[in-house]
């Protein structure tokens, strides 16, 4: 029977699930309405006995069906159309010297401000304002990298005042603009190494706070890794007055649930900082999956990007990427070794 053959067809489950990934692979027609749709069409699921599958819109139209006006099967998939709209808005933001308002950007693509804002953030991970700020900060970095004066660079990038830029300079550059202009060469990072139950612990600090905590077995490799992570800074082995910092970091490794009272100097992209902030919000003794962390930052499709941000974390334990596990419950994957990850989680469970 027609119904049995339709239900047995693997395309039927994609239709029922409104699987957007199947868009472009086939279309389906409904005999009682005379229309055909893409698999992700939001219309009510039709009766299977009235459904037929077609390889493409042309085949459906050759069979006498007309395109659905809701899912527009003859056009690009919705995700592609939305991506094109957001890409056009991004190019407009990048090409405009003065920041555009949300209303101006939304009007430019024919959407309401609310709908445009939600779509833009879902696709880019940033608000339109955040994207504009990040673009201007990138222009500043490029200008400073070419040796431009700080004031010249920030005004050319579209920052209306020096105060506005300096207020966000740490997030944009990870250091003061004048230091960035010199390639970070003047940034001093002091480090020391202590011993813990999990092996050797390297603690490194800038003049703004702890910028790196690393775990390992070999001091030489730890120092080399620090240099790779901060290639433009001067890494300096600290003298005796740094011992209190080392002791505090080792104490954190031994009792991670107690936290660290020292200030942190967290450097990364806007997305990485969002992930790291979410990591710090995970209570000691609890874990989250990469997918769960992606949902926590409002980016449910960004589990892989979240995993990459966790891998890029420079501050072990204090930014607790050890609290993230895979969706299947396994604890594989930790920059400083799975055994150390398990040990840290066990220490937190003991309180």
């Amino acid at each position: 029977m027609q119904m049995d053959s339709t239900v047995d067809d693997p395309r039927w489950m994609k239709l029922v699930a409104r699987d957007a990934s199947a868009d472009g692979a086939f279309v389906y027609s409904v005999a009682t309405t005379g229309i055909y749709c893409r698999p992700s069409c939001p219309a009510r699921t039709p009766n299977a006995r009235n459904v037929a599958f077609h390889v493409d819109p042309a085949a459906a139209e050759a069979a006498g069906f007309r395109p659905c006006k809701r899912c527009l099967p003859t056009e690009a998939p919705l995700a592609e159309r939305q991506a094109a709209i957001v890409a056009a808005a991004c190019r407009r933001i990048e090409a405009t010297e003065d920041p555009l308002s949300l209303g101006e950007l939304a009007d430019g693509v024919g959407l309401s401000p609310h709908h445009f804002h939600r779509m833009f953030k879902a696709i880019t991970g940033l608000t339109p304002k955040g994207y504009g700020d990040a673009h201007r900060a990138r222009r500043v970095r490029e200008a400073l990298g070419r040796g431009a004066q700080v004031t010249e660079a920030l005004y050319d990038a579209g920052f209306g005042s020096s105060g506005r830029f300096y207020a966000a300079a740490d997030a944009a550059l990870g250091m003061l603009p004048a230091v960035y202009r010199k390639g970070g060469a003047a940034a001093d990072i002091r480090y020391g190494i202590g011993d813990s139950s999990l092996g050797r612990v390297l603690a490194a600090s800038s003049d703004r706070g702890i910028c790196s905590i690393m775990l390992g077995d070999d001091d030489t490799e730890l120092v080399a890794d620090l240099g790779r992570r901060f290639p433009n800074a001067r890494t300096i082995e600290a003298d005796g007055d740094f011992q209190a910092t080392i002791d505090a970091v080792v104490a954190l490794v031994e009792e991670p649930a107690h936290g660290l009272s020292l200030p942190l100097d967290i450097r990364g992209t806007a997305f990485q900082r969002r992930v790291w902030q979410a990591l710090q919000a995970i209570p000691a003794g609890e874990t989250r999956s990469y997918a769960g962390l992606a949902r926590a930052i409002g980016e449910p499709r960004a589990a892989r990007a979240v995993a990459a941000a966790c891998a890029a974390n420079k501050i072990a334990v204090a930014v607790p990427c050890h609290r993230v596990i895979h969706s299947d419950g396994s604890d594989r994957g930790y920059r400083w070794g799975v055994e150390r990850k398990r040990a840290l989680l066990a220490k937190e469970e003991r309180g």
Side-chain angles (χ1 to χ4, degrees), residues 255-259 279-288 320 322-323 344-345 347-351:
E255 297 184 83
H258 290 183
L279 287 174
Q280 291 175 290
I282 302 174
E286 296 185 16
T287 59
R288 300 287 186 273
H322 64 276
R323 294 176 189 161
L344 287 168
L345 292 173
K347 288 175 183 288
E348 291 185 351
E349 289 176 359
R350 292 194 296 268

Side-chain angles (χ1 to χ4, degrees), residues 42-67:
R44 186 176 63 181
T45 303
N47 189 313
R49 64 168 49 89
N50 298 321
V51 170
F53 296 108
H54 310 272
V55 294
D56 54 29
E61 292 182 13
F65 295 93
R66 61 186 185 279

Side-chain angles (χ1 to χ4, degrees), residues 63-256:
F65 295 93
R66 61 186 185 279
C68 173
K69 293 182 179 180
R70 293 187 67 181
C71 66
L72 304 174
T74 58
E75 298 186 10
L78 177 61
E80 291 184 17
R81 300 199 303 274
Q82 291 180 336
I85 289 172
V86 170
C90 289
R91 301 295 82 78
R92 188 179 177 197
I93 291 171
E94 294 167 4
T96 305
E97 292 296 327
D98 298 321
L100 295 167
S101 70
L102 177 61
E104 289 173 321
L105 288 168
D107 286 344
V109 295
L111 297 174
S112 71
H114 175 73
H115 186 193
F116 172 73
H117 186 278
R118 184 174 59 182
M119 179 196 304
F120 193 100
K121 190 173 187 298
I123 291 175
T124 67
L126 297 170
T127 64
K129 181 182 181 300
Y131 184 89
D133 288 344
H135 173 67
R136 287 191 294 278
R138 183 168 61 249
R139 290 176 62 184
V140 171
R141 289 195 296 269
E142 292 171 352
L144 293 177
R146 295 192 298 269
Q149 295 298 315
V150 173
T151 302
E152 174 191 354
L154 66 92
Y155 277 105
D156 285 348
F159 284 94
S161 69
S162 58
R164 181 182 172 193
F165 176 72
Y166 275 92
D170 282 347
L173 304 177
M175 60 188 75
L176 291 174
V179 174
Y180 190 95
R181 178 173 175 265
K182 299 175 183 178
D188 290 343
I189 293 178
R190 297 194 303 157
Y191 72 89
I193 301 176
D195 203 23
S196 76
S197 61
L198 300 186
R200 303 292 279 171
V201 179
L202 183 147
S205 180
S206 70
D207 59 355
R208 296 165 183 267
I210 300 293
C211 60
S212 187
I213 297 174
M214 296 187 290
L215 310 174
D217 299 310
D218 183 87
D219 290 6
T220 301
E221 179 54 36
L222 285 172
V223 174
D225 195 11
L226 180 68
R228 288 191 292 269
R229 287 172 173 264
F230 298 93
N232 294 322
R234 286 195 299 262
T235 52
I236 304 168
E237 186 171 7
D239 50 26
D241 66 351
F242 196 69
Q243 188 60 47
T245 298
I246 299 172
D247 292 343
V249 171
V250 169
L252 172 70
V253 173
E254 299 298 352
E255 297 184 83

